Every structure is written in C-alpha cells, then in structure tokens.
Amino acid sequence: IWRFLCYFKAHPLIRNAKNRRKEFESFQEVFNSYRSKEVFSRIPDNQLDQYINSIFKKDGDKLLLYKNCHPSWEETMYLTAGIKDFDIWGNLHRLETPTLIIIPEINPVLRYYASKKISRNNFIKIKILKNSTHLFPLEKPVDTSEMILNFLSQ
C-alpha cells in the first residue's frame, strides 16, 4: 500500500512537504514556528538555532529555505524512499558489513518488531537511544556520537 501511495504521491508526508512554508520574515519567526512543532520540541535552543541557520538564507528582507531543504526536494525524498525502502529493508538479511542502527526510543521510524527481525543478522547491531525521537542527532548529539564511536572502536 505504501508503494501505491508514494507512486501516486498520496503519501501524507509528501502532501505535508508540498505545503511546508518556504519563506519567513525573520529568524525569530522561523524559530517560533519550528519550536511549536512536536518534531522540534526536544531539540535544545542552540541546536535548533544552528539547524535553522544551516537551512535558511537571507534574501533581501526575507529568509528563504536553501534549495537542498526545499519542500520539492523533501517531496522527492519521501517519494523515492517510500518506493525503495521496501527493497532495502527486505535485503538487510544479506548485509555482511558491520552496521549500527540507532533507534530513537520515542516515535521510532523503525518499529520494534522490525528491529527484532533485522537483529537476527549478526553484522547488524541495534541500539536504542533513550528519551529521543526521530531527530535524535540534533536532540542528543553527544550521546549519538558516543554510540557511533563506541561501535567503530569495536
């Protein structure tokens, strides 16, 4: 069903991406808008500041999203991922490269039952990052880095 929805661009994330706001009057307006969204609610202020500064550019008296963060790019990403993800996840059992998959504890993209299936492959290690969401690298950059460095040092 997801392939079907993505093929016809009916996936809800694609619709949301198309409607995402691309222009703001000020940095504070962007910050307030992003801060009010659940997905950004756990990110520390300084991390959210850095994130916003990395995806917006000043254009006269407006702040505009950079092209690589533009809703049209996001729409393409969801469309492609929605179709190709099934091939990736369906072939993980063949993976023979040591791989770390970090799963946020709250609202994970990779569900628990899927992680149990994937963890049958001895090359894949799955770690759950406590008290984090989908944006865990921004929410917990030190913890994320430590998990990755510990994995690489093994």
Side-chain angles (χ1 to χ4, degrees):
I1 190 162
W2 283 115
R3 283 184 194 210
F4 177 80
L5 289 174
C6 290
Y7 185 76
F8 290 102
K9 297 185 179 185
H11 189 292
L13 294 176
I14 292 172
R15 268 196 316 273
N16 291 347
K18 281 182 175 182
N19 296 325
R20 188 151 347 277
R21 191 169 170 192
K22 300 173 270 307
E23 185 177 304
F24 291 85
E25 296 294 324
S26 69
F27 174 83
Q28 192 61 49
E29 185 183 17
V30 178
F31 185 90
N32 293 342
S33 175
Y34 277 50
R35 176 57 76 213
S36 70
K37 304 207 179 344
E38 176 64 28
V39 70
F40 295 107
S41 66
R42 295 171 172 269
I43 299 173
D45 285 352
N46 64 331
Q47 292 294 111
L48 186 56
D49 284 346
Q50 291 174 13
Y51 175 70
I52 291 168
N53 279 312
S54 73
I55 65 170
F56 280 89
K57 65 179 177 180
K58 190 84 168 142
D59 186 16
D61 59 348
K62 304 261 187 218
L63 285 172
L64 303 175
L65 271 172
Y66 279 110
K67 185 175 183 175
N68 62 344
C69 299
H70 198 273
S72 60
W73 174 87
E74 193 175 2
E75 175 188 355
T76 302
M77 182 198 64
Y78 287 129
L79 178 61
T80 304
I83 294 170
K84 297 293 183 186
D85 275 2
F86 295 100
D87 296 331
I88 294 168
W89 295 113
N91 287 300
L92 278 178
H93 66 281
R94 296 184 177 141
L95 188 67
E96 294 182 0
T97 303
T99 302
L100 172 66
I101 297 176
I102 301 173
I103 302 172
E105 180 182 43
I106 303 164
N107 197 19
V109 173
L110 179 63
R111 301 291 179 213
Y112 179 75
Y113 65 89
S115 68
K116 292 300 272 181
K117 184 177 180 181
I118 292 166
S119 66
R120 292 183 199 143
N121 180 328
N122 292 330
F123 289 99
I124 300 174
K125 300 293 179 227
I126 296 177
K127 299 287 184 182
I128 296 173
L129 188 56
K130 300 285 185 197
N131 196 31
S132 67
T133 69
H134 180 67
L135 295 179
F136 64 86
L138 293 172
E139 297 168 359
K140 296 182 167 261
V142 173
D143 294 342
T144 302
S145 298
E146 287 174 357
M147 279 186 160
I148 294 168
L149 290 172
N150 287 337
F151 175 78
L152 293 173
S153 68
Q154 297 175 0

